[in-house]
Amino acid sequence: MTTRVQEHEDAMSAATTPTASTPSGAGVLKPAQLLASLPEAFRKLDPRVMVTSPVMFVVWIGSVLTTVFSFKDPGDWFGWTISAWLWLTVLFANLAEAVAEGRGKAQADTLRKAKTDTVARRVDGGTVPGTALRVGDLVVCEAGDVIPGDGDVVEGVASVDESAITGESAPVIRESGGDRSAVTGGTKVLSDRIVVRITTEPGKTFIDRMISLVEGAARQKTPNEIALNILLASLTVVFLLACATLPSFADYAGARLTLVVLVALLVCLIPTTIGALLSAIGIAGMDRLVQRNVLAMSGRAVEAAGDVSTLLLDKTGTITLGNRQAAAFVPVRGTTEAEVADAAQLSSLADETPEGRSVVVLAKERYGLRERHRGELAGAEWISFTAQTRMSGVDVDGRRIRKGAAGSVTAWVRERGGEVAEDTERLADGIAEAGGTPLLVAVEDADGARILGVVHLKDVVKHGMRERFEELRRMGIKTVMITGDNPLTAKAIADEAGVDDFLAEATPEDKMALIKREQAGGKLVAMTGDGTNDAPALAQADVGVAMNTGTSAAKEAGNMVDLDSNPTKLIEIVEIGKQLLITRGALTTFSIANDVAKYFAIIPALFAAVHPGLDKLNIMRLSSPDSAILSAVIFNALIIMVLVPLALRGVRYRPMSADRMLRRNLAVYGLGGLVAPFVGIKLIDLLLSLIPGIG
C-alpha cells in the first residue's frame, strides 16, 4: 500500500506542476502548418460552408462577380488583379480557420492512436469485443490490460497509465468506493486487478468526445460570437446599401464606376478583418485550454469563464497543499506531552492517511518514541476511521485509545462517564483560530475515560496564492473558499490566503445554495469538483471544472474536464476565457477602425478627378484611382494573414479593471487600426506606381 500511495503522490505532484501562461510558439505560423492547412482552406470555398460567415460570404459573392466580369473583358488587367486579390482574401480567411482547426486535428490523431480494438473479459468469464459492451456490464482488468471502455471501479485498486489522454507519464491510482474511481477507455492497467462497471455506450466514450471536440466538429458558436456576427452582418448591409447608391452619385458627377470597382470598394469597407478571424479566435481559445490539458465541452464554457464574477475554490489541494501534517502535541492540564504523543502514535498505526503517518513520525522524531507496527501489538483491536464516528483508535493492553474530531471524542468520553478537562475546548479553539485542525486524543483505562490532549494538524497555504487572489480581485472576481472545516479554522486559512469569503462545514446543499445566490445577483460562477456529491453544484455553476481523477458523475455534470486534475487550474481557465474575450474585442476594434481609415483613403482618390475639392482629403497622395483601389484591396487581404498569429496566440492578458482595459484597447488597437491602413496602403501604392500602366 505504501508503494501505491507514493505512486499516487508522485502522479499528483507531476500533475500540479504550473504550466506557462502561453505555450511557446502558440501564435507562430510555420510554413509546414500553412501547407498542411491549404487543402482544407480550398475545401472551405464551398458556398455551403462560406454562408455560415455572412461577411466572408459577401466577399465570396463579390469574387465570383468580378471573375465573371473579367471573363467578359479578358484584356482588363485591373479586373483580373482585383478578382485575384479578392479570392486571396477569402482564401486567407479560410486558411486562418483551417490552421486553428489543424492544431486540433493533430491532437485528435494522437488520441485516435489510443483507441484500440480491445477484448473485454466479463466477470462471468466470457470475452467479448470492447465495441459490444453496454452500460452496466462488469469487466475485469489486470496488469497489462487496456481498459475497454469508460466506467467506474467497483472492486479493487490499481495503478493506471493515463498518458494517452493526459500526456503525463506518471501512473495514477484508481480504486473503488471513492472519488478516484473513474477510468477511461484506452488507458492501461499497470498493476493489480480491478473490476470496472461500464458507464458509456461504444462510440460515446470520453476519448470519442475528446476527438470530436478538439477537431472542432462539435464546436458551436457562442452567444457573444453569434451577437458579433449579427453586428458584422448589419454593418455589411449598411455598407452594401451605401455602395449601391454610389453609381447614381457618380453618374451625376460625370464619373463612371464599374461593378469591379464597386465590389472592391464594398469589400474594403465591410469588416472583413474580424469576419475572417472570428472563427479562428474561438477555435484557438479552446485550443489554448487543450494545450493545458483542459477539455472544454463547449465554446460557451470558455466564453463564460471570461465573464466569471465569482470563483468557488476548494481549500484542500487548491488553496492549501492538502496533506495536513502533525505539528505539535498539546497536553491538557495534568497530562504530559509524552503521554499524548504515545497515545496518538498508537491510535495512528492503522491510519494510512498522510495525517496519520505524520503523527507517527512526529512522535518518533520529537519524543524519541520508536515507530511501532501493528504486527508487534498482539491481541490489539484496531478501530478504523469512518465518516459516522469520525474517530479511529486501538484497544490494547487494557486501554482504549481514540483520536478524532473534537465533538466525536468528547462525546465518546462522556458516554463512558468520564469528564472533559476544562482547558480542552480552549486548546482546540486556539489551534483552530491559528488555522490548524485540532484532533483530540482520549484514553479509557483503570482510571476511567479522559482527554489526554490535542494533536495540532497544520494545512500549509500554497506559495503565491495571496498574490494570485489579489490579481483576481483586480479583475473584479470574488473568490470564495469552500471547506468542510469548522468556521474558526476556515477563517484563519481564508485570512492567510487572502480570499474574499469562505463557506465552512460545506455540504452539497450549501454549495448549491451559494451558487444560486450568486447567480440570482446576475453573476457568473465557476467551481471545481471531483466527487459525486459535487455533481449538482458543477451542473449548476456556469463554469464547472471536473477533475479527471473524479467520478463519472462529476465529469458528466461539469462543462470542462481537467485531465491533470489540478484544482488550481481554474484560475488559469478564467484567464484564458478573459483572453479570448479581450482578443475578440481588440481585433473587432482594430477591424472597424481599419474600415474607417480605408474609407478616407479610397473615396477622396476615387472622386478627386470630378470633385477637385476632395483632393485635399487625399492626404496619402495616392498616385491614381486604380492604384488607390488596388492598394486597399491588397492591404485588406494581407492584413488578415498578418493578424492570424495574434488571433491564434491571443492578446496578452493583464489583470486590470474593465475601464482601463477598454482605454488600453482603444489606444492600441483603435489607434493602430486607424494608422495601419494609411501606412500600408501608401507603401503598396508606391510599389504599384513602379509598374507601368498603373501609376
Side-chain angles (χ1 to χ4, degrees):
M1 175 64 87
T2 303
T3 302
R4 293 176 187 163
V5 170
Q6 184 62 49
E7 286 175 349
H8 170 66
E9 290 176 349
D10 291 343
M12 289 304 293
S13 174
T16 54
T17 302
T19 56
S21 59
T22 303
S24 61
V28 177
L29 279 182
K30 299 177 181 177
Q33 284 181 315
L34 293 176
L35 289 174
S37 303
L38 202 54
E40 182 63 24
F42 276 103
R43 281 192 288 270
K44 288 179 179 290
L45 292 175
D46 185 332
R48 292 169 296 182
V49 177
M50 294 301 305
V51 75
T52 59
S53 176
V55 177
M56 298 315 300
F57 185 57
V58 169
V59 181
W60 182 89
I61 293 174
S63 304
V64 172
L65 289 175
T66 56
T67 303
V68 170
F69 273 82
S70 296
F71 272 109
K72 288 185 177 180
D73 187 4
D76 182 15
W77 67 266
F78 181 77
W80 284 112
T81 308
I82 291 292
S83 297
W85 279 102
L86 290 184
W87 281 115
L88 283 175
T89 302
V90 179
L91 188 64
F92 289 165
N94 290 347
L95 192 59
E97 185 174 0
V99 168
E101 290 177 349
R103 298 183 179 197
K105 286 181 169 63
Q107 292 162 335
D109 290 340
T110 302
L111 290 170
R112 282 195 180 91
K113 293 176 183 177
K115 289 189 64 177
T116 56
D117 295 329
T118 57
V119 175
R121 288 182 292 143
R122 297 180 186 270
V123 170
D124 58 15
T127 60
V128 295
T131 53
L133 291 173
R134 293 295 179 265
V135 174
D137 287 350
L138 295 175
V139 296
V140 178
C141 298
E142 297 179 338
D145 290 347
V146 174
I147 297 173
D150 293 358
D152 290 321
V153 178
V154 295
E155 180 185 320
V157 58
S159 175
V160 178
D161 175 12
E162 294 188 341
S163 59
I165 59 171
T166 66
E168 293 288 347
S169 58
V172 295
I173 298 299
R174 291 290 177 264
E175 57 189 344
S176 62
D179 288 342
R180 301 187 181 278
S181 60
V183 291
T184 304
T187 57
K188 187 176 183 179
V189 177
L190 298 180
S191 67
D192 303 289
R193 174 185 183 274
I194 52 176
V195 176
V196 177
R197 178 185 289 116
I198 300 299
T199 57
T200 57
E201 297 286 352
K204 299 180 181 179
T205 65
F206 191 63
I207 287 186
D208 288 318
R209 290 165 65 195
M210 283 180 69
I211 291 171
S212 179
L213 286 162
V214 299
E215 276 187 323
R219 179 183 177 270
Q220 296 179 339
K221 290 184 178 179
T222 63
N224 282 355
E225 197 173 344
I226 293 171
L228 185 55
N229 262 317
I230 293 172
L231 173 63
L232 298 181
S234 302
L235 290 173
T236 301
V237 171
V238 169
F239 282 114
L240 184 61
L241 293 174
C243 289
T245 62
L246 283 178
S248 58
F249 284 106
D251 290 341
Y252 178 77
R256 180 176 175 272
L257 295 180
T258 65
L259 181 66
V260 172
V261 170
L262 284 174
V263 170
L265 184 60
L266 174 65
V267 169
C268 289
L269 297 185
I270 63 177
T272 51
T273 306
I274 185 62
L277 298 174
L278 189 57
S279 182
I281 292 169
I283 295 170
M286 294 184 72
D287 182 58
R288 282 192 289 275
L289 280 177
V290 173
Q291 289 173 18
R292 288 161 180 79
N293 268 1
V294 177
L295 184 64
M297 299 304 177
S298 70
R300 183 189 297 264
V302 186
E303 193 171 89
D307 285 328
V308 160
S309 306
T310 304
L311 214 55
L312 306 187
L313 299 162
D314 277 332
K315 183 202 77 169
T316 305
T318 304
I319 296 173
T320 63
L321 292 176
N323 292 341
R324 296 175 299 178
Q325 302 292 304
F329 300 111
V330 184
V332 299
R333 188 176 297 110
T335 309
T336 65
E337 287 187 32
E339 289 179 283
V340 180
D342 179 68
Q345 188 187 61
L346 281 171
S347 64
S348 301
L349 293 179
D351 188 351
E352 291 293 336
T353 65
E355 292 91 340
R357 294 200 302 273
S358 73
V359 170
V360 175
V361 172
L362 182 65
K364 173 186 175 183
E365 292 178 349
R366 185 168 297 182
Y367 300 100
L369 297 174
R370 70 182 184 84
E371 187 174 343
R372 292 167 285 191
H373 300 281
R374 294 176 60 173
E376 299 177 19
L377 303 177
E381 182 179 347
W382 302 98
I383 312 300
S384 300
F385 176 88
T386 67
Q388 289 72 35
T389 64
R390 300 183 69 190
M391 290 189 303
S392 62
V394 61
D395 296 344
V396 63
D397 297 334
R399 292 192 298 166
R400 293 182 175 181
I401 302 171
R402 297 292 183 271
K403 177 199 72 180
S408 300
V409 174
T410 298
W412 182 82
V413 170
R414 285 176 175 155
E415 285 174 3
R416 282 154 179 73
E419 293 187 1
V420 178
E422 294 179 0
D423 56 344
T424 300
E425 185 176 353
R426 176 178 59 81
L427 293 174
D429 288 347
I431 291 172
E433 289 173 359
T437 301
L439 295 180
L440 296 190
V441 180
V443 65
E444 182 184 19
D445 53 18
D447 296 327
R450 63 192 184 280
I451 302 290
L452 294 178
V454 188
V455 179
H456 182 179
L457 293 180
K458 290 186 69 174
D459 202 355
V460 181
V461 174
K462 291 181 178 179
H463 178 70
M465 292 306 293
R466 175 174 284 276
E467 289 74 18
R468 297 201 76 172
F469 290 139
E470 182 59 37
E471 284 185 10
L472 291 170
R473 198 170 293 112
R474 290 199 299 272
M475 292 156 53
I477 296 176
K478 174 185 176 184
T479 51
V480 181
M481 182 183 77
I482 308 294
T483 178
D485 289 338
N486 63 69
L488 289 174
T489 301
K491 184 178 186 306
I493 294 292
D495 290 342
E496 184 180 352
V499 295
D500 298 310
D501 201 357
F502 65 89
L503 179 65
E505 297 177 341
T507 63
E509 293 77 15
D510 293 334
K511 295 178 186 178
M512 281 284 289
L514 175 59
I515 292 173
K516 288 180 178 179
R517 280 200 307 273
E518 294 291 323
Q519 290 173 332
K523 298 177 179 178
L524 296 187
V525 181
M527 75 161 289
T528 60
D530 60 0
T532 301
N533 63 344
D534 290 323
L538 286 171
Q540 180 67 35
D542 300 284
V543 180
V545 184
M547 302 294 102
N548 188 48
T549 54
T551 60
S552 297
K555 289 194 283 188
E556 287 294 329
N559 50 23
M560 290 189 187
V561 177
D562 178 15
L563 303 179
D564 292 333
S565 300
N566 176 9
T568 60
K569 204 178 288 183
L570 180 56
I571 299 173
E572 289 184 53
I573 291 170
V574 169
E575 291 176 349
I576 291 171
K578 286 193 173 295
Q579 186 184 35
L580 169 65
L581 296 179
I582 292 168
T583 302
R584 187 184 294 156
L587 291 183
T588 301
T589 303
F590 184 91
S591 180
I592 293 174
N594 227 1
D595 297 332
V596 173
K598 283 183 286 187
Y599 181 88
F600 284 102
I602 300 171
I603 298 298
L606 199 61
F607 289 98
V610 292
H611 289 291
L614 287 176
D615 193 54
K616 295 179 181 178
L617 297 178
N618 185 14
I619 57 177
M620 288 187 289
R621 316 313 302 171
L622 301 179
S623 55
S624 70
D626 285 353
S627 178
I629 295 170
L630 188 53
S631 298
V633 170
I634 294 173
F635 174 84
N636 195 60
L638 294 179
I639 196 65
I640 293 173
M641 289 306 294
V642 170
L643 292 176
V644 167
L646 181 61
L648 297 180
R649 184 183 67 248
V651 174
R652 184 179 177 185
Y653 172 71
R654 294 183 180 89
M656 62 180 70
S657 61
D659 58 335
R660 280 188 61 198
M661 194 175 299
L662 177 61
R663 290 197 300 270
R664 173 178 171 270
N665 280 352
L666 287 176
V668 176
Y669 296 97
L671 186 60
L674 285 172
V675 173
F678 285 97
V679 176
I681 291 174
K682 180 59 179 176
L683 289 174
I684 296 171
D685 177 70
L686 290 174
L687 292 174
L688 292 178
S689 65
L690 301 176
I691 302 175
I694 297 182

